[in-house]
Amino acid sequence: MTVIQTTNQNDVTTTDAHPLPASLTTFFAAGAGFSVATIYYSQPLLGMLTEQWQVPAQQIGWIPSLTQLGYALGILFLAPLGDRYDRRRIILTKSGLLMLALLAAAAAGGLMSLLIASLGIGLMATMAQDIVPAAATLAPASRRGKVVGTVMTGLLLGILLSRVLSGLIADWLGWRSMFVLAALSLLAIWLVAWRTLPRFQVTSTLPYHQLLASLFHLWRQYAALRQASLVQGLLSLSFSAFWSTLAVMLHGAPFHLGSAAAGLFGLAGAAGALMAPVAGKQADRIGPVKVAMCGAALVVFFFLMMTGMSLAATSVTLQLVVLAVGTVGFDMGVQISLIANQTLVYSLEPAARSRLNALLLVLMFVGMTLGSVLGNLMLAHFGWVGVTGLATVTAVLALLLRMKKTA
């Protein structure tokens, strides 16, 4: 029996006979989705910001880079606190601070102030990684997988739809309005969390420095963890190099498309979300390593296809068609690999799943940060073919590393 101790009216005791209410599961899914979406709202806006502030695309590229770096740092240094302190308090604190960071971004008068706000957004958006274990804690054992799957679906939808929404809103109301609306969504999350979330029993009395030290112990102990994390980090580098430069590329010649068009490419990620449960089932059936290899191979294939199209002299329409198909394909491959690598990592030490997942995600977002920086450098010096070429090379490295047997 799972018992969550609380001192207010939100006392919750979950058992197989008294499952987690559907309304609370829905809240967890929405909270994860709205919080993680804040990492990606800026990406379709980059072309618009480059034009408005008259700064080089390479400098504008630091906006998503610092957001993703903040998320990686938040996972590494803040996620372990979920074992040490009441998760209700953590979720309320992070959602409030995330709202303030979004309002600071909306009020930014120049690039430097927006960069600082972007770092804060990344740090506080890690509340998504507090919500998932909170849902797992409240769920009865017999339904835990289903509950966590529902919450992860919300998280994936937040990633997928954020670019679409941001591009459309920015074209309609301007880029500042997107950050204001995002802050309002976090205000709603805060109010619902304050009203419905129970207080969580602390599960560890380890001092903060010992919680962090255990991360390094796990990293040294499991070669499979290191391999899975590095593979996903390389694929995330490819992923981020593409997405952090797409809006700027589409904004210029020969496409001359607005932020809404860049945002609509985010719909391609829906294929990746649909493949997540399929990838999980296949990981159980044939093993996560084989499934992760298939995912990495898909990423290699579709980036090779886009690189070839970049080198060929073809019509704008054909280039856009290939770009759309390639986006669907490589995003599907990244999602398949992520689910498979998570499945592998979770099996290493069940008692340390949160910390194992944190290490995997840290490498993933370090890869995304490097992808933003290197992708913008490639775009500035070599054009779009430099971006897709970089993504292809890192995806090939990921595939080769995934094929290597661990000791």
Side-chain angles (χ1 to χ4, degrees), residues 122-147:
L123 282 167
M124 294 304 114
T126 53
M127 67 176 279
Q129 301 305 324
D130 298 302
I131 287 174
V132 177
T137 300
L138 289 175
S142 63
R143 293 173 57 84
R144 186 164 294 137
K146 182 177 181 180
V147 169

Side-chain angles (χ1 to χ4, degrees), residues 198-405:
R199 297 189 187 279
F200 290 75
Q201 185 176 10
V202 173
T203 58
S204 173
T205 58
L206 284 176
Y208 178 66
H209 71 279
Q210 290 185 20
L211 284 173
L212 292 182
S214 69
L215 294 175
F216 296 103
H217 172 73
L218 290 168
W219 181 261
R220 291 194 304 268
Q221 184 176 359
Y222 295 111
L225 168 65
R226 298 193 296 271
Q227 184 180 29
S229 301
L230 290 170
V231 166
Q232 204 60 42
L234 287 167
L235 292 178
S236 297
L237 195 158
S238 299
F239 178 92
S240 183
F242 176 91
W243 283 111
S244 62
T245 56
L246 178 67
V248 176
M249 186 273 290
L250 291 176
H251 199 79
F255 303 107
H256 302 292
L257 298 174
S259 58
L264 286 172
F265 272 87
L267 287 175
L274 293 174
M275 287 301 297
V278 177
K281 289 180 181 179
Q282 290 302 311
D284 290 334
R285 190 173 70 86
I286 66 174
V289 173
K290 291 181 180 178
V291 174
M293 284 183 192
C294 292
L298 282 175
V299 178
V300 171
F301 174 80
F302 284 104
F303 271 123
L304 274 174
M305 182 182 72
M306 287 189 283
T307 301
M309 182 56 62
S310 299
L311 292 170
T314 57
S315 68
V316 170
T317 301
L318 182 57
Q319 289 182 55
L320 287 174
V321 169
V322 172
L323 189 64
V325 172
T327 303
V328 172
F330 94 80
D331 192 86
M332 186 183 301
V334 171
Q335 295 294 345
I336 289 172
S337 177
L338 175 59
I339 297 299
N341 282 321
Q342 281 183 313
T343 301
L344 188 155
V345 166
Y346 287 156
S347 68
L348 297 176
E349 189 173 324
R353 280 174 178 161
S354 294
R355 283 166 288 167
L356 291 167
N357 187 56
L359 289 166
L360 176 67
L361 291 176
V362 165
L363 267 291
M364 177 176 155
F365 278 91
V366 167
M368 285 192 173
T369 302
L370 289 174
S372 294
V373 174
L374 296 177
N376 279 281
L377 284 173
M378 291 295 105
L379 185 67
H381 294 288
F382 303 104
W384 184 242
V385 69
V387 175
T388 56
L390 169 68
T392 303
V393 170
T394 52
V396 168
L397 291 175
L399 177 59
L400 293 175
L401 181 58
R402 183 69 280 174
M403 293 170 67
K404 182 179 178 182
K405 293 186 180 295

Side-chain angles (χ1 to χ4, degrees), residues 25-40 71 75 125-133 147-163 273 335 338-339 342 346 357 361 364-365:
T25 303
T26 301
F27 162 73
F28 282 132
F34 278 113
S35 57
V36 80
T38 60
I39 306 172
Y40 302 99
Y71 198 82
I75 291 172
T126 53
M127 67 176 279
Q129 301 305 324
D130 298 302
I131 287 174
V132 177
V147 169
V148 172
T150 301
V151 177
M152 287 301 296
T153 298
L155 190 148
L156 284 172
L157 287 175
I159 294 173
L160 303 176
L161 300 180
S162 57
R163 300 181 186 93
Q335 295 294 345
L338 175 59
I339 297 299
Q342 281 183 313
Y346 287 156
N357 187 56
L361 291 176
M364 177 176 155
F365 278 91

